[in-house]
Every structure is written in C-alpha cells, then in structure tokens.
Amino acid sequence: MSATTNATAVGYIRVSTEQQLDGQGLDVQRDAIIGLAEAEGLELVAVFADEGVSGSEDVAGREGLAAALDALDDGMVLVIPKLDRLARDLMVQESILRDVWAAGATVMPVPEGERAYCRPDDPTDPSRTLIRQVLGAVAAYERSMIRARLVAGRRRRIADVGYAGGPEPFGWTDPSEQSILSHVRDQRDRGRTWKGIAAELNRAGLLQRNGARWSIGSLQRTFSRAESRGQIEPVSLNLTPTLLGAS
C-alpha cells in the first residue's frame, strides 16, 4: 500500500435507520477513515456525516454528502468507509463519482480491494467500470433485501401481536384505556357528539396517555385506530354523574 503523502482529504460517513445496528455505526466508520488517512499520509481536514439517511438518496437529500463534495478541490481525496456508504443505488453511485472526478478529486474507500474501481474511468480498461457497477448493483440488491426483511418482520409482528411496533396502541392491554374506548363507543351509539364526549372525559380526569387533554381530533383518531383493530369491547365506562356533569 503506497502512501499518498501531503494530499488533503475529507471524509464522508453515513448510516441509515436500517443499518445503525449492524456494527457499522458512525463512530466505527469515523475511526476507520481516520486510521486510513494516517496510514496513507493524508491530511484529513474534515469528516462529514449523514445520520438516518438512505443510501438511495441523491446529493440533494444528503446534507453531509453535499458539504463533503463542496469541500473537495483539485487533488483532494474523499475518504469513505466503503463504497456502499457513498450510495446504495447504482445510478446515484455513478453520479456522485462523476461529481468527485469533475472536481479533480479522487475517492478512497477503506477496503483496499475497492480502491482500484473508484479511480476515474479509463476507456482502455472497461472492466474496472464494469466491476464497480456490479458492486453498486449488489449494494442496491442488499438494500432491497434489507427492506424486504423489515417488511416481512413487520407483517409477522402484526400477525403475532396485532401491531407493527413502537408504542403499544391505546387500549391494547391497559384496562383503564380499554374502558375509555368502550365508553366512547357507548356514547357515540347514544348519539353523543365528539365534543361532548371529549369534554366529559377531560372533566373526569381521564386524559390521554401522555397526560394531555382530549381534543375532538385526538379522540376521533384514537378511537378510529382502535376500532379498525377490532379491540373495543362493548362495555361502557362506569363514570359517576358527579364526574360526568352536564355536557
């Protein structure tokens, strides 16, 4: 491995929401490019990052990448952890590489095996371009497989527990929340307005899970979601006339 003495470099690192737990977090990537810069004698002047951004996004959708490209000048080096950190879409990958080369800069991935394919295209060596584009196509395929596994996982969770993830839906297991939903159904069946029911619940101190008072919109949305899941039991809430008051 030959050193690139005195060359100035900027680094670029990225994680998507799908990949932050795969052992390639921002800190790991940053350490990798700092180590490469030291080994290659590069003066690393800045490291730009995009967090929670898909590799299928082009430059317009990635502030960190846009800043890294803006910082490049003739003779500089863009250091990246891997080619797929630059892009997980073949067309986006090729567009970014062309922008780097147009600035007179070069791309240096940490894996030595990828570096030869990130040099500017050479008409006398079309195999270099072919291999790089195959790598880009593989990255796009891996991204599609990650998405497919996530979708399948969500579907399995919905089949197992009835919802995809995140906070437990209102009224899913909490008896007091279930009673509120049952009461709302009972009152709606009796012809009560959303405004009247929301005011009644607020007066009784039966608020939303976060402690906020019910608005017409929040009550409608919560009830509608619960109803669509078929989770509302036909039992009304036992609220005393004193608590309810007039509505």
Side-chain angles (χ1 to χ4, degrees):
M1 183 187 302
S2 60
T4 312
T5 309
N6 297 327
T8 303
V10 298
Y12 174 71
I13 55 181
R14 178 188 64 79
V15 290
S16 71
T17 53
E18 298 168 352
Q19 295 168 315
Q20 289 174 353
L21 300 178
D22 69 352
Q24 294 295 318
L26 291 180
D27 290 342
V28 174
Q29 295 179 43
R30 184 178 284 106
D31 290 345
I33 64 175
I34 289 174
L36 177 63
E38 292 175 350
E40 292 292 323
L42 300 170
E43 181 188 359
L44 188 65
V45 295
V47 177
F48 299 93
D50 283 311
E51 185 171 6
V53 180
S54 169
S56 64
E57 290 281 349
D58 60 16
V59 178
R62 288 196 257 171
E63 293 183 3
L65 179 58
L69 295 179
D70 286 343
L72 290 175
D73 204 348
D74 189 48
M76 292 181 64
V77 180
L78 177 64
V79 185
I80 56 176
K82 287 183 64 180
L83 186 57
D84 66 9
R85 297 300 86 196
L86 200 61
R88 275 188 174 270
D89 178 277
L90 178 57
M91 294 183 66
V92 173
Q93 168 188 290
E94 295 300 290
S95 175
I96 293 170
L97 287 172
R98 284 193 296 270
D99 288 344
V100 174
W101 297 335
T106 57
V107 177
M108 182 179 289
V110 170
E112 190 171 5
E114 291 186 354
R115 294 177 203 168
Y117 310 122
C118 292
R119 295 200 299 266
D121 287 335
D122 181 354
T124 65
D125 185 15
S127 61
R128 181 197 306 171
T129 302
L130 173 63
I131 294 173
R132 185 187 68 246
Q133 291 180 352
V134 168
L135 291 174
V138 169
Y141 170 77
E142 290 176 345
R143 171 177 166 270
S144 297
M145 289 301 295
I146 290 170
R147 179 179 298 172
R149 287 195 295 268
L150 286 172
V151 170
R154 291 190 187 105
R155 288 175 177 167
R156 284 195 299 270
R157 182 170 175 81
I158 290 172
D160 291 341
V161 302
Y163 64 98
E168 182 179 279
F170 188 90
W172 191 257
T173 59
D174 188 302
S176 63
E177 293 179 352
Q178 292 169 351
S179 295
I180 289 174
L181 293 172
S182 296
H183 178 72
V184 173
R185 165 170 281 175
D186 177 73
Q187 294 301 296
R188 287 295 295 166
D189 289 346
R190 295 170 186 268
R192 294 285 303 283
T193 65
W194 289 107
K195 181 178 180 180
I197 300 171
E200 168 186 275
L201 294 173
N202 291 332
R203 281 196 301 270
L206 299 169
L207 307 179
Q208 297 185 61
R209 183 181 292 167
N210 61 4
R213 294 171 62 83
W214 292 105
S215 66
I216 295 173
S218 63
L219 185 60
Q220 285 179 319
R221 287 191 297 273
T222 300
F223 181 82
S224 176
R225 290 166 183 163
E227 190 174 44
S228 69
R229 297 186 186 100
Q231 68 183 80
I232 304 177
E233 297 294 333
V235 179
S236 63
L237 181 64
N238 183 24
L239 296 177
T240 67
T242 302
L243 287 175
L244 293 178
S247 58

